[in-house]
Amino acid sequence: MKIIYKVLSLIFIISIFNVFGATKEWGLSYPELGKTPVGNETKDYLKQFGGYFMGDPNEKVVYLTFDSGYENGYTEKILDVLKKNEVPATFFLVGHYLKGKPEIVKRMVNEGHIVGNHTMKHPDMTKISSKEAFSKELSQVEDLYKSITGQEMKKFYRPPQGKYSEQNLKMAKELGYKTIFWSVAYRDYDNNNQPSKEEAFSKLIPRIHNGAVVLLHNTSKSNSLILDELIGKYKGMGFEFRSLEDLVK
């Protein structure tokens, strides 16, 4: 009986693996600061599923992105800084944000920024096996966006928590989405332990590289305080800011 139980357990585990695929959480290493980082996957692997984590390593370009689960009082200041510096950004919004702050969403769009899809409820998408349920998490955000702006949502998707599987990447592509990870980030998401300017710059400056997709959180007080100077530093290093639409051309 023990042998039969072990065999059945193994079959169950294999079936779960086959349904959901290998679950991964996006991660990076920086063998040489200022150079292209190493991600969980290669650029070529991601691109076959319409996925990206950075742009052309030969171009001094930065793509600025924000993950926006909720409003913490800093987004409008961030938008002020972006407007002042004429920098385009992408805000990956959760359904809660669209419901709660439609006026800020309108401002993002009116000022030329992309609003991307960060799912309706910010679940672990790797636990969703059916295309119907996967699609619903994205389509509900699309519907909210259209009701607020009167426009169709541009199809840029960022997986919550950076969790993904090959099956997820395939489903997103089938729905017309580009899956956007990142190549530069830092620990800015803990509201109870916000980094100092020095701590932020010690990560964000040395790690910048050609074609970088930078991930920041709109809920971070530190980001609202350093963004103007950060943009100035990147520009001073010769970097140009571009929209994600240029990344996926």
Side-chain angles (χ1 to χ4, degrees):
M1 286 296 292
K2 287 184 178 179
I3 294 175
I4 294 173
Y5 177 77
K6 287 180 179 179
V7 170
L8 290 174
S9 296
L10 181 58
I11 291 172
F12 176 75
I13 290 169
I14 292 172
S15 67
I16 291 296
F17 181 91
N18 289 335
V19 170
F20 293 110
T23 297
K24 298 182 181 180
E25 187 168 342
W26 183 250
L28 296 160
S29 63
Y30 297 87
E32 187 177 354
L33 291 176
K35 303 293 184 181
T36 303
V38 176
N40 287 12
E41 315 290 354
T42 65
K43 285 180 64 181
D44 288 341
Y45 172 83
L46 290 176
K47 197 167 184 179
Q48 66 181 316
F49 306 110
Y52 298 81
F53 80 98
M54 60 169 288
D56 189 334
N58 298 309
E59 292 188 331
K60 288 190 75 69
V61 172
V62 171
Y63 303 92
L64 189 58
T65 69
F66 293 86
D67 281 5
S68 308
Y70 60 95
E71 182 53 46
N72 206 22
Y74 305 120
T75 308
E76 291 190 284
K77 184 174 181 180
I78 287 169
L79 287 168
D80 290 342
V81 172
L82 296 174
K83 185 176 182 178
K84 170 190 169 185
N85 289 280
E86 299 182 324
V87 168
T90 297
F91 291 84
F92 287 97
L93 304 186
V94 174
H96 172 80
Y97 196 99
L98 287 140
K99 285 182 176 180
K101 296 296 176 181
E103 294 306 316
I104 298 181
V105 175
K106 287 179 184 177
R107 181 180 171 186
M108 290 173 182
V109 176
N110 290 339
E111 294 183 0
H113 304 297
I114 293 172
V115 170
N117 201 322
H118 204 31
T119 73
M120 187 65 188
K121 297 180 180 178
H122 204 265
D124 179 349
M125 295 291 276
T126 66
K127 293 181 178 178
I128 297 177
S129 60
S130 77
K131 187 174 178 181
E132 181 182 5
F134 187 94
S135 175
K136 186 176 180 180
E137 274 292 330
L138 300 178
S139 64
Q140 287 182 321
V141 174
E142 294 171 12
D143 292 343
L144 279 171
Y145 177 84
K146 188 170 184 179
S147 71
I148 292 167
T149 66
Q151 302 175 21
E152 298 293 335
M153 191 173 210
K154 293 176 180 177
K155 295 206 168 186
F156 293 94
Y157 159 63
R158 176 164 283 161
Q161 306 170 62
K163 291 183 177 179
Y164 68 101
S165 66
E166 187 168 298
Q167 185 192 31
N168 282 174
L169 294 172
K170 288 177 179 177
M171 287 194 289
K173 182 181 181 182
E174 288 168 2
L175 293 168
Y177 274 90
K178 305 295 186 184
T179 299
I180 308 296
F181 293 101
W182 59 90
S183 62
V184 175
Y186 80 117
R187 193 181 178 87
D188 63 347
Y189 46 82
D190 185 349
N191 292 330
N192 296 317
N193 186 24
Q194 282 289 286
S196 66
K197 181 176 79 170
E198 292 72 26
E199 290 170 330
F201 284 170
S202 73
K203 302 295 184 184
L204 294 171
I205 301 302
R207 290 178 176 176
I208 200 65
H209 58 89
N210 290 0
V213 175
V214 178
L215 163 61
L216 302 175
H217 286 83
N218 71 311
T219 52
S220 166
K221 181 178 181 180
S222 294
N223 287 341
S224 72
L225 296 174
I226 70 167
L227 185 60
D228 190 44
E229 188 174 351
L230 179 66
I231 289 171
K233 285 182 178 293
Y234 284 166
K235 286 184 174 180
M237 296 166 72
F239 287 98
E240 174 190 351
F241 289 85
R242 290 186 191 168
S243 164
L244 286 185
E245 288 184 298
D246 291 302
L247 173 68
V248 303
K249 282 181 178 177

